[in-house]
Amino acid sequence: MPKRGKNYLESLKLYEKSKLYDAEEALEIVQKTGKAKFDETVELAMRLGVDPRHADQQVRGTVVLPNGTGKSIRVLVLAKGPKVQEALDAGADYAGGDEYVEKIQKENWFEFDVVIATPDMMGVVGKIGRVLGPKGLMPNPKSGTVTFEVAKAVNDTKAGKIEYRVDKAAIINVPIGKVSFGTEKLSENFKAIVAAVIKAKPAAAKGRYLRSVTISTTMGPGIKINGQKLMEN
């Protein structure tokens, strides 16, 4: 077992490890566990009652967090013609076509957090799929990052749109803001993502859907939340 730091051990004294907390109380506690010298991210982990090996039990989607993530998102838009200027006018950090694909291929350039592409660029984008895919950067229609509505996509991304997706262990991990947000803003973001995940429950999912719900800061311990209560709200 790895040796824990002083701050982590101090944080463990702030709550009962085995207790299932109401969301509001857990959010208040988690802010007190943010003892690092930087503004820690508050992260949400949900283990779902689904089997991700089956296509009809995939849980994936996007949600715009009401208060954003607290992180400045760098957006690259791969497009042609007037769509390039549309993207730049909407606030994209970079916008263009083949020149950026080549830059990624030849220079291993990754000064961006999200890639948005117009459908007519996907043939070109496919050339860098092998490097974008493992980093979770490949544009996808399901996440709204393959679209001709580039201005809306850029605006949504900059406003705090995040993608949630169940992994092989049936867990969804997403940021819900920064410790500095305070309880009210964190709560609004928390409710938005939980509502989206519950709404996305597959018809094929059987038994309890929210198996476990935990929040933590970047460097802090996990605090358990009563998932059953969330399903009832």
Side-chain angles (χ1 to χ4, degrees), residues 83-200:
K83 290 294 176 183
V84 172
Q85 191 58 49
E86 182 183 327
L88 292 171
D89 289 344
D93 298 271
Y94 313 98
D98 294 336
E99 69 274 26
Y100 282 108
V101 173
E102 191 173 313
K103 191 174 176 68
I104 292 167
Q105 281 180 316
K106 295 183 177 180
E107 300 176 27
N108 198 33
W109 177 74
F110 287 100
E111 297 297 315
F112 48 87
D113 305 296
V114 174
V115 182
I116 296 166
T118 51
D120 57 353
M121 282 295 293
M122 289 308 291
V124 178
V125 176
K127 296 177 183 178
I128 50 174
R130 285 186 177 181
V131 291
L132 293 181
K135 294 179 180 291
L137 292 169
M138 188 66 180
N140 189 296
K142 290 182 179 178
S143 63
T145 49
V146 177
T147 177
F148 279 118
E149 295 183 28
V150 292
K152 182 180 185 303
V154 171
N155 286 327
D156 285 350
T157 301
K158 290 285 189 177
K161 185 175 82 168
I162 60 168
E163 181 180 7
Y164 59 87
R165 185 177 186 179
V166 70
D167 65 16
K168 292 178 181 178
I171 296 172
I172 287 175
N173 285 288
V174 288
I176 61 167
K178 298 285 187 178
V179 168
S180 62
F181 276 24
T183 304
E184 186 177 346
K185 287 185 177 181
L186 286 172
S187 179
E188 289 172 354
N189 283 357
F190 175 86
K191 288 175 181 176
I193 182 64
V194 169
V197 172
I198 291 175
K199 188 177 180 181

Side-chain angles (χ1 to χ4, degrees), residues 46 48 59-60 67-68 81 157 167 185 193 222:
M46 293 178 277
L48 306 182
V59 180
R60 180 179 186 176
N67 302 294
T157 301
D167 65 16
K185 287 185 177 181
I193 182 64

Side-chain angles (χ1 to χ4, degrees), residues 9 29 56 97 126 142 173 184 229:
L9 295 174
I29 295 170
D56 62 353
K142 290 182 179 178
N173 285 288
E184 186 177 346
K229 272 195 174 183

